[in-house]
């Protein structure tokens, strides 16, 4: 399990990057101990909403196998940018088996908020290592990029599993209090 913390299109956030590097290792160890699954290699990237959309879309295109029409890719990136303004973080599985965790610095103003977001997204990283999850995500991304259709049953199953995974991630946010005391109280 390798952890890498970087920034993308951010200037003047050196202190935030330093804080992220300090919190990343204990967060990964804590989530790895308390959530079923195995922690893959994790690349944590601090960025803004536009950078989140750009990096997530590139990772998802690669995950879907490439060969995506530029118009479809641009449409997905615009939709991700709209959603990204209100999102604190996002975890995306990568084609090589690792996970890209994108953190929106505009939504995470304090170390406590950052710790909560980081724990939430690392729980998703653990979920990606479970049996069948990665294949389901690839199938859904291929459907979104108009490469391969999925049935309505598969789409409903994906939505149901996604909701369960979100509930699990929210239920584990209490772990952030062990990294930054009082994180959830703020």
């Amino acid at each position: 399990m390798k952890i890498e913390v970087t920034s993308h299109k951010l200037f003047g956030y050196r202190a935030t990057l330093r804080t992220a590097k300090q919190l990343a290792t204990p967060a990964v160890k804590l989530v790895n101990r308390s959530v079923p699954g195995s922690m893959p290699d994790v690349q944590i990237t601090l960025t803004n909403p536009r950078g989140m959309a750009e990096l997530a879309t590139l990772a998802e295109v690669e995950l879907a196998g490439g060969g995506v029409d530029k118009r479809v890719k641009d449409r997905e990136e615009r939709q991700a940018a709209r959603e990204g303004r209100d999102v604190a973080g996002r975890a995306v599985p990568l084609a090589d088996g690792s996970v890209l965790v994108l953190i929106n610095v505009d939504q995470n103003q304090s170390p406590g908020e950052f710790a909560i977001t980081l724990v939430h997204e690392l729980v998703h990283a653990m979920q990606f290592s479970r049996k069948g999850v990665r294949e389901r995500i690839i199938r859904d991304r291929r459907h979104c990029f108009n490469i391969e259709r999925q049935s309505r049953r598969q789409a409903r199953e994906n939505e149901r599993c996604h909701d369960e995974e979100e509930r699990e991630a929210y239920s584990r946010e209490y772990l952030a209090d062990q990294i930054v005391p009082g994180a959830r109280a703020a």
Side-chain angles (χ1 to χ4, degrees), residues 2 7 19 30 36 38 42 54 56 62 73 79 87 91 102 121 126 128 131 134 137 152 160 171 179:
K2 190 172 74 171
S7 64
T19 302
L30 188 63
S38 61
V42 178
E54 178 186 328
E62 185 180 333
K73 179 184 165 282
Q79 180 180 353
V87 175
L102 300 168
E121 300 307 326
M126 293 289 283
F128 296 153
K131 184 178 179 183
R134 187 176 207 78
I137 292 171
R152 288 188 188 125
R160 182 184 55 77
S171 73
I179 302 165

Side-chain angles (χ1 to χ4, degrees), residues 4-51:
E4 181 183 345
V5 181
T6 60
S7 64
H8 176 72
K9 292 189 177 180
L10 284 183
F11 305 103
Y13 282 89
R14 190 172 299 149
T16 306
L17 185 61
R18 193 174 324 113
T19 302
K21 287 180 180 181
Q22 291 171 351
L23 296 178
T25 304
V28 168
K29 288 179 182 176
L30 188 63
V31 170
N32 196 20
R33 281 194 315 254
S34 62
V35 177
S38 61
M39 183 65 77
D41 291 342
V42 178
Q43 179 183 349
I44 300 168
T45 304
L46 306 178
T47 188
N48 55 25
R50 192 76 186 145

Side-chain angles (χ1 to χ4, degrees), residues 56-57 60-62 64 67-69 72-73 75-76 140-148:
T57 304
E60 288 174 344
V61 165
E62 185 180 333
V68 175
D69 183 31
V72 174
K73 179 184 165 282
R75 182 191 67 207
E76 287 294 320
D140 182 60
R141 291 294 91 199
R142 290 179 66 82
H143 176 77
C144 287
F145 289 125
N146 294 334
I147 296 172
E148 185 178 304

Side-chain angles (χ1 to χ4, degrees), residues 33-153:
R33 281 194 315 254
S34 62
V35 177
S38 61
M39 183 65 77
D41 291 342
V42 178
Q43 179 183 349
I44 300 168
T45 304
L46 306 178
T47 188
N48 55 25
R50 192 76 186 145
M52 278 181 64
E54 178 186 328
L55 291 175
T57 304
L58 286 174
E60 288 174 344
V61 165
E62 185 180 333
L63 184 67
V68 175
D69 183 31
K70 183 174 176 8
R71 290 175 296 166
V72 174
K73 179 184 165 282
D74 290 344
R75 182 191 67 207
E76 287 294 320
E77 188 172 333
R78 282 191 306 272
Q79 180 180 353
R82 279 191 300 272
E83 293 171 356
R85 293 184 199 115
D86 301 325
V87 175
R90 184 170 179 188
V92 181
L94 297 174
D96 64 358
S98 62
V99 175
L100 174 65
V101 174
L102 300 168
I103 305 290
N104 182 354
V105 294
D106 295 344
Q107 293 288 326
N108 295 286
Q109 301 297 327
S110 69
E113 290 175 353
F114 180 80
I116 291 170
T117 302
L118 187 59
V119 166
H120 183 97
E121 300 307 326
L122 289 173
V123 169
H124 287 311
M126 293 289 283
Q127 292 166 345
F128 296 153
S129 70
R130 296 178 186 162
K131 184 178 179 183
V133 174
R134 187 176 207 78
E135 292 77 22
R136 179 176 47 84
I137 292 171
I138 291 171
R139 184 180 63 224
D140 182 60
R141 291 294 91 199
R142 290 179 66 82
H143 176 77
C144 287
F145 289 125
N146 294 334
I147 296 172
E148 185 178 304
R149 305 263 319 150
Q150 69 177 344
S151 68
R152 288 188 188 125
R153 176 181 287 167

